[in-house]
Amino acid sequence: MSPRLLPAEPGAVPVFVWARTMPPGAEQQLRHLASQPYVVEHVAAMPDLHVSEGIAVGSVFATAQHVVPGALGGDLGCGVSAYRFEYPAASLGRDVLWGLLERLTRVIPVGDATHRGQGLPLPPGLEAPPLSTQKLRHAWERLAPRHLGTLGGGNHFLELDRDAVGDLWLLVHSGSRGVGAAISEHHQRVAQALGEGSLPGLRVDTPEGAACLVDLELACHFARANRDTLAARALDVLASTLEVTPDAASTVDVHHNHVSREWHFGRTLWVHRKGAMGLAAGGRGLIPGSMGTASYVVEGRAEPRAFHSCSHGAGRVLTRREARARIRPAALEQALRRVVHDSGRSASLVEEAPAAYRDIAEVLEDEADLVTPLRRLTPIAVLKG
């Protein structure tokens, strides 16, 4: 669909909206963002738009000289990875999938669980990174080894899928865990004290803004290392059980909570994405559906008005509290009847039920000028955070 234009109010930039409907409160958050003194060109709202703390999930905007730590979400660098195997997914019976899920559960901490003791060795470049404050360096030393290779909770997942030709896929959704949260909280406090605007932004040519950019980049590097570590453990399980290796050419990894220096509208800008992917023309990404519904490998179309962005998922239509109040565990079990999962956790997982999210097919229809779907991936087993 073509985007809807919310005309600019006095002193603000316009807003392009790719969502056919906007949840209550979303337009107010978008207009608040568009009124900030540092926002240039316009604001773009993706089709999985929904209200969140600070700014709406699905918001994309650009600045010329500012970084806005409160506009990126707490899980900096959160993203998704996908791996394809030339293996017939249909040959995996429920007993085999149960065995795989049990083995994955033994090697991947989920929810609030972390690694015990000293944790895992950190990859090169992340052992003692140059964070901007001693407090953040101590937080990194304490948290990074124990959080590396942990899934987290909420909408994070590790999933086995099959595509239309029958190949097996592994999907991983996670981010920077406690490390990213500590970095985000610190720089939001700094921005509250020294920033510009009612959603405070820091000039990148100040020591505080420059430090924020360095720390945000380190959080994104940790998020990628976390997904790589999760995937390595899952790939070991699949290799030892099914004797498979992934097709490297099909591998995908994309962030969806980050800021990036990019060229748009004839100048270099700082593009902020909260719950949105940036894809160059022809670049491949992954848009996950809700738990139990299809995900899609997509190709970017580099729509200029969207700052070359697209949705990062299906988008919530119920808050977690609303989902817990309205969705019964039995309804979730019915929705997941064809997907191997831990049914003993149904009561706590209702907030991630398909009914709490938009239909992913509808989301893709709304962003037809942003991405082209390449492969539809149907879940067959899921490990939730």
Side-chain angles (χ1 to χ4, degrees):
M1 62 176 274
S2 296
R4 190 168 15 136
L5 177 64
L6 303 182
E9 296 181 334
V13 299
V15 180
F16 288 102
V17 181
W18 272 266
R20 65 184 68 182
T21 59
M22 285 193 291
E27 181 173 346
Q28 181 180 357
Q29 285 197 316
L30 291 171
R31 289 197 178 279
H32 178 236
L33 176 60
S35 72
Q36 298 306 303
Y38 46 71
V39 175
V40 300
E41 302 294 346
H42 57 268
V43 171
M46 300 297 101
D48 56 342
L49 177 75
H50 58 278
V51 170
S52 181
E53 183 178 356
I55 70 170
V57 172
S59 297
V60 182
F61 69 96
T63 71
Q65 293 290 338
H66 289 76
V67 58
V68 190
L72 303 170
D75 194 2
L76 300 170
C78 187
V80 286
S81 301
Y83 301 81
R84 184 180 71 87
F85 308 86
E86 293 183 354
Y87 186 91
S91 68
L92 299 175
R94 291 185 72 89
D95 57 339
V96 176
L97 291 171
W98 269 115
L100 288 169
L101 203 60
E102 289 172 354
R103 293 191 63 187
L104 290 169
T105 302
R106 288 198 293 267
V107 298
I108 294 176
V110 303
D112 294 332
T114 62
H115 296 291
R116 297 180 179 179
Q118 295 183 345
L120 301 183
L122 295 171
L126 294 179
E127 302 100 325
L131 287 155
S132 60
T133 71
Q134 185 176 18
K135 185 176 180 179
L136 283 178
R137 290 191 290 274
H138 286 163
W140 186 285
E141 293 170 3
R142 178 172 53 87
L143 297 173
R146 298 182 63 201
H147 286 208
L148 181 69
T150 64
L151 192 60
N155 61 356
H156 292 177
F157 64 82
L158 190 148
E159 191 173 272
L160 296 176
D161 290 59
R162 67 171 182 272
D163 65 17
V165 300
D167 285 343
L168 178 67
W169 286 73
L170 167 70
L171 310 185
V172 178
H173 178 199
S174 192
S176 54
R177 306 286 286 112
V179 167
I183 290 172
S184 175
E185 290 167 7
H186 168 76
H187 288 289
Q188 287 188 62
R189 287 194 299 269
V190 174
Q192 287 288 344
L194 302 173
E196 302 172 30
S198 54
L199 178 67
L202 297 166
R203 287 189 60 90
V204 297
D205 58 359
T206 65
E208 294 80 13
C212 181
L213 288 173
V214 171
D215 291 350
L216 294 179
E217 186 67 18
L218 287 169
C220 287
H221 285 168
F222 181 84
R224 175 61 190 270
N226 184 40
R227 288 193 295 277
D228 288 347
T229 303
L230 289 165
R233 291 188 160 216
L235 292 173
D236 284 345
V237 169
L238 294 173
S240 62
T241 306
L242 306 179
E243 298 182 352
V244 295
T245 56
D247 169 40
S250 300
T251 300
V252 175
D253 185 89
V254 284
H255 293 311
H256 50 234
N257 283 349
H258 65 120
V259 60
S260 177
R261 189 79 162 146
E262 299 174 8
W263 182 264
H264 295 278
F265 303 105
R267 54 177 169 164
T268 304
L269 299 172
W270 292 102
V271 179
H272 294 64
R273 297 182 176 94
K274 180 179 179 179
M277 285 193 298
L279 290 178
R284 287 183 304 132
L286 178 73
I287 301 178
S290 58
M291 182 173 62
T293 65
S295 299
Y296 287 82
V297 178
V298 299
E299 184 176 83
R301 303 188 65 176
E303 164 59 50
R305 292 169 297 179
F307 298 101
H308 302 180
S309 306
C310 67
S311 75
H312 84 307
R316 299 193 73 91
V317 294
L318 297 177
T319 66
R320 297 187 184 280
R321 177 179 293 179
E322 289 170 339
R324 289 193 297 270
R326 299 183 191 182
I327 302 173
R328 293 176 298 123
L332 175 61
E333 284 301 302
Q334 176 65 14
L336 296 180
R337 63 191 181 279
R338 294 186 177 90
V339 182
V340 172
H341 66 286
D342 182 0
S343 58
R345 298 179 58 205
S346 293
S348 63
L349 291 178
V350 291
E351 61 189 39
E352 289 299 312
Y357 286 83
R358 287 187 66 188
D359 182 344
I360 187 66
E362 183 181 278
V363 171
L364 288 169
E365 288 176 5
D366 286 359
E367 60 184 339
D369 53 352
L370 306 185
V371 293
T372 301
L374 300 178
R375 290 182 186 249
R376 184 179 190 272
L377 309 181
T378 302
I380 57 178
V382 61
L383 176 64
K384 284 293 294 184

